[in-house]
Amino acid sequence: ITDQLVNWSLSDQITRVIINIGVAYGSDNRLVERLLLQAAEETPQVLKIPKADAFFVGFGNSTLNYELRVYVDEMADRLPVAHALHNLIDEKFREHKVEIAFPQLDVHLKRA
């Protein structure tokens, strides 16, 4: 670093938490976004302003990749909020039959 560095977190403790999640191909994209935002709304430590955002960020090898971005008041809230969001997202996805994807591999056996 050759220029002055400003520590913005010194005067403003608000920080962003990003939850990455991959769902199975064929999932309802609008439902996934809605459930992610509901999870953010239902987590007390997540700030209303700036608002939470859910983004479909790409196509993975076995997943449709999403990011849930939320903001918290204090650095100490980051891990507890991530924990709460992971649990709530898992619960909501199970309830709505949205499959959290995992790497898949097809194996074809041939006789010599």
Side-chain angles (χ1 to χ4, degrees), residues 27-36 93 96-98:
S27 297
D28 181 339
N29 291 332
R30 299 210 190 295
L31 175 61
V32 170
E33 290 176 29
R34 190 174 80 234
L35 295 175
L36 290 173
F93 281 12
H96 289 88
K97 308 281 191 267
V98 174

Side-chain angles (χ1 to χ4, degrees), residues 18-107:
I18 298 176
I19 304 295
N20 294 298
I21 191 157
V23 299
Y25 274 88
S27 297
D28 181 339
N29 291 332
R30 299 210 190 295
L31 175 61
V32 170
E33 290 176 29
R34 190 174 80 234
L35 295 175
L36 290 173
L37 291 173
Q38 282 178 2
E41 289 172 12
E42 294 173 17
T43 304
Q45 299 97 326
V46 171
L47 298 176
K48 304 297 182 214
I49 299 172
K51 70 179 184 69
D53 283 310
F55 297 103
F56 178 16
V57 295
F59 299 93
N61 291 334
S62 303
T63 62
L64 301 175
N65 298 323
Y66 285 84
E67 279 187 4
L68 174 62
R69 296 179 178 196
V70 300
Y71 294 86
V72 295
D73 244 348
E74 299 177 17
M75 292 292 281
D77 288 338
R78 292 175 57 85
L79 191 56
V81 164
H83 173 78
L85 285 170
H86 283 119
N87 282 310
L88 196 50
I89 290 166
D90 184 55
E91 179 182 308
K92 288 184 172 300
F93 281 12
R94 287 175 193 264
E95 180 181 323
H96 289 88
K97 308 281 191 267
V98 174
E99 183 182 342
I100 295 176
F102 55 90
Q104 299 178 23
L105 176 65
D106 290 331
V107 177

Side-chain angles (χ1 to χ4, degrees), residues 3-23:
D3 290 330
Q4 180 181 9
L5 176 68
V6 178
N7 183 356
W8 291 106
S9 64
L10 182 62
S11 60
D12 186 0
Q13 291 292 314
I14 292 175
T15 183
R16 182 176 64 197
V17 176
I18 298 176
I19 304 295
N20 294 298
I21 191 157
V23 299

